[in-house]
Amino acid sequence: MPKYALLIDLTKCVGCRSCTTACQMQNELEPYERWLRVQEVEGGKFPSVTKWFLTVQCQHCDKPPCISVCPVRANYKRKDGIVMIDEDRCVGCKYCMVACPYQARIFNEERGVAQKCWLCYRRVEKGVAPACVVACPASARYFGDLEDPDSEISKLVVRLKATKLRPDLGTEPSLYYVR
Amino acid sequence: MAWGFPIAMYLFLAGMGAGAFLTAIVAEIYNKVMFRPLIRAGLVLSGILVGLGMPFLIADLGAGRTQPWRLIWLISNPTSPMTWGVWVLTPFIPLALVLGWLEVDFFNPPWRAARWFRALALRWRTRLLQIGALLALAIAIYTGLLLGVVHGVPLWNTSILPMLFFVSALSTGLAACVVYSQFTAVHAEHDGVHLAKSYFYVNQIHSALIVTETVFIFCWLFIVANGSVTAAQSVQLLLTGEYSLYFWIGIVFFGIVDPMLIYFYEVVLGKPLSPNWILISDSSVILGGLVLRYLVIAAALPVILI
């Protein structure tokens, strides 16, 4: 079984928000609905300060807090590693939104359910990379199968010494970042 | 923060209702003659208060409000504190309402079925009280666990929070019973013991609860403030930032200082104060409990990712 993941090379990211927009186009979201956000991060010490960008979306954790707190079991993890929300089961209690340390979820007021990145699973099932990966003009985003040791992403994780977001929280995310 | 005032109001009402029930239980064990008005108040109020929390909870839902048949799934995840809450709240509300019904005379229709049901409930009253006590205990703690298990919010993710909510639930529940009994039984003689005299004992217990609560609030904020950057920011929001006015006036003055001054004055005086003073101190406790729940929700900042 594959284990799909993303690797995001933040050293290449220019903060253009193409990924956010591509995601909104792909998933037919409103302009204020972001399954993928770009945060500006300030670093360094005065006078040599820097600013860089951090793109955050669902981390498709192996131990997702959203699944353990969801009272109706509307959150589940597919065998290929994608964390999903069953919109026909969600009651809109927002507990998952509160419990997600990555703040990766939005509330769809119209449907009354929580929504988030689903790693473009329909594209992935057809063998096409997620919209955010294809759209990135800096080629900072890589999609692939971590179970396959010969895949590009598996090699890049090792070569670029990629890390995960807040691994200390014990959520075991599937997304890797290079910074 | 995805949650706001409705959830705070619900946590407050559920805690206060459970606390009122536990007040009635303790009063029943300790002295069921002297504390008769408190027992009545606790049993009448608990079902109503916890029940009143439900509209707030449902108002905050999305698809569960518009498509209520989905709510049946709420019992389905044993790892979710919210599911535990549904497990304990669902039996508690009808049970407490029946026990409260036994305490009042005015809603007592002359139908045979109603009389039969009342007699049945009266026969099982002790057993119902025992089950209700366990459920009330669970509710009072669960409201804190619901927030406490969230790793992503350092202000909540501490084991002292459920304990703080538990003590606050007992305190506000006791206050609700005292205020209710003021309106329903004030100046009434109960087997020769004046209501005010029973408050004299109650207030000493209540001051112990408030001292405990103060210690818990201090330890909670102190430990959280020495944690991560986000945690310190949350505490700063409460003590000196955006919510400082609510914190110092709502929690510290109304929740702690004002009732403690009145109880302390009573102890110094050595005799029961006029019921009006007790009305002020205990309404003040209730207000403090509500502000505490609101601020715990409002000041919750998520962790920093990098």
Side-chain angles (χ1 to χ4, degrees):
Chain A
M1 209 60 202
K3 178 175 157 51
Y4 294 126
L6 292 179
L7 182 141
I8 298 145
D9 189 346
L10 299 176
T11 60
K12 287 188 187 171
C13 178
V14 294
C16 68
R17 273 87 171 167
S18 293
C19 47
T20 303
T21 312
C23 171
Q24 288 171 327
M25 298 293 283
Q26 173 70 35
N27 298 299
E28 297 177 357
L29 305 180
E30 298 291 330
Y32 53 84
E33 293 177 324
R34 292 186 192 93
W35 289 1
L36 197 173
R37 67 176 190 275
V38 180
Q39 272 178 227
E40 293 179 17
V41 186
E42 289 170 8
K45 252 190 177 165
F46 183 81
S48 59
V49 291
T50 57
K51 188 169 85 171
W52 46 288
F53 302 95
L54 172 67
T55 75
V56 185
Q57 70 212 79
C58 176
Q59 304 288 306
H60 299 282
C61 308
D62 286 341
K63 288 189 178 164
C66 51
I67 292 184
S68 64
V69 301
C70 178
V72 295
R73 287 194 295 169
N75 287 281
Y76 61 98
K77 195 168 171 73
R78 286 160 48 120
K79 286 206 178 77
D80 57 9
I82 301 176
V83 174
M84 298 282 290
I85 303 172
D86 183 348
E87 290 192 5
D88 293 331
R89 205 169 159 114
C90 176
V91 294
C93 71
K94 309 183 188 79
Y95 200 6
C96 55
M97 298 173 64
V98 171
C100 175
Y102 307 101
Q103 303 282 298
R105 288 159 177 258
I106 62 156
F107 192 69
N108 185 323
E109 294 288 345
E110 194 187 327
R111 309 181 68 172
V113 297
Q115 289 182 328
K116 64 168 194 71
C117 160
W118 49 22
L119 217 58
C120 290
Y121 74 101
R122 292 200 189 95
R123 290 171 65 110
V124 167
E125 281 168 1
K126 286 180 197 150
V128 185
C132 56
V133 174
V134 175
C136 181
S139 300
R141 306 173 73 87
Y142 301 88
F143 170 79
D145 175 11
L146 287 176
E147 288 286 294
D148 175 7
D150 295 328
S151 67
E152 187 186 18
I153 190 169
S154 296
K155 289 175 180 166
L156 283 174
V157 164
V158 179
R159 189 157 63 82
L160 300 175
K161 295 188 178 69
T163 53
K164 296 176 176 184
L165 280 189
R166 292 298 303 263
D168 56 307
L169 294 171
T171 52
E172 298 183 11
S174 295
L175 266 62
Y176 281 89
Y177 288 84
V178 179
R179 46 187 162 110
Chain B
M1 176 49 52
W3 284 345
F5 183 75
I7 296 296
M9 191 71 186
Y10 152 71
L11 295 177
F12 162 71
L13 286 170
M16 185 160 67
F21 195 90
L22 292 171
T23 300
I25 295 290
V26 173
E28 173 110 0
I29 293 168
Y30 191 67
N31 189 335
K32 62 174 81 171
V33 179
M34 184 180 188
F35 295 126
R36 188 73 214 129
L38 276 186
I39 296 169
R40 171 170 299 158
L43 295 180
V44 169
L45 281 177
S46 53
I48 295 173
L49 288 176
V50 178
L52 275 177
M54 292 301 114
F56 288 96
L57 198 58
I58 290 164
D60 199 58
L61 286 180
R65 190 182 64 234
T66 49
Q67 296 166 34
W69 55 88
R70 291 185 182 199
L71 296 178
I72 189 66
W73 300 116
L74 280 172
I75 57 171
S76 71
N77 187 356
T79 63
S80 170
M82 199 177 277
T83 291
W84 308 340
V86 175
W87 287 347
V88 289
L89 285 164
T90 311
F92 180 80
I93 295 171
L95 187 146
L97 286 175
V98 166
L99 284 168
W101 177 54
L102 294 181
E103 298 293 326
V104 294
D105 300 323
F106 55 83
F107 188 68
N108 197 7
W111 315 322
R112 180 179 292 180
R115 264 182 300 158
W116 172 81
F117 187 68
R118 200 178 176 98
L120 184 76
L122 262 177
R123 182 146 28 97
W124 287 92
R125 185 173 178 276
T126 312
R127 186 52 47 87
L128 291 178
L129 283 175
Q130 289 165 348
I131 300 169
L134 287 176
L135 293 173
L137 206 59
I139 292 170
I141 300 169
Y142 130 82
T143 55
L145 284 180
L146 184 78
L147 306 183
V149 297
V150 176
H151 283 289
V153 179
L155 187 68
W156 297 349
N157 193 215
T158 145
S159 48
I160 209 164
L161 189 78
M163 286 151 68
L164 170 62
F165 272 30
F166 178 61
V167 178
S168 173
L170 290 181
S171 168
T172 50
L174 177 55
C177 290
V178 168
V179 169
Y180 178 87
S181 60
Q182 290 271 342
F183 286 111
T184 52
V186 74
H187 300 316
E189 296 283 330
H190 289 275
D191 300 279
V193 183
H194 196 278
L195 190 67
K197 199 181 165 195
S198 74
Y199 288 156
F200 188 65
Y201 300 111
V202 167
N203 290 343
Q204 290 179 22
I205 297 168
H206 205 159
S207 37
L209 282 176
I210 293 178
V211 169
T212 314
E213 191 179 341
T214 312
V215 171
F216 281 6
I217 290 177
F218 176 78
C219 294
W220 168 55
L221 292 180
F222 195 82
I223 288 174
V224 170
N226 283 288
S228 64
V229 178
T230 317
Q233 280 175 345
S234 284
V235 174
Q236 198 199 343
L237 274 183
L238 291 174
L239 299 185
T240 56
E242 199 180 336
Y243 302 110
S244 53
L245 194 69
Y246 295 97
F247 181 83
W248 293 106
I249 304 283
I251 297 181
V252 176
F253 180 74
F254 282 110
I256 299 168
V257 175
D258 176 43
M260 280 309 281
L261 277 178
I262 292 174
Y263 298 151
F264 188 66
Y265 179 57
E266 190 178 39
V267 172
V268 171
L269 213 62
K271 63 179 170 65
L273 275 177
S274 126
N276 290 336
W277 282 104
I278 308 304
L279 196 61
I280 293 173
S281 64
D282 286 52
S283 319
S284 177
V285 165
I286 294 175
L287 180 65
L290 175 60
V291 176
L292 173 71
R293 299 306 194 292
Y294 176 64
L295 290 192
V296 168
I297 300 273
L301 296 176
V303 290
I304 294 171
L305 295 180
I306 287 285

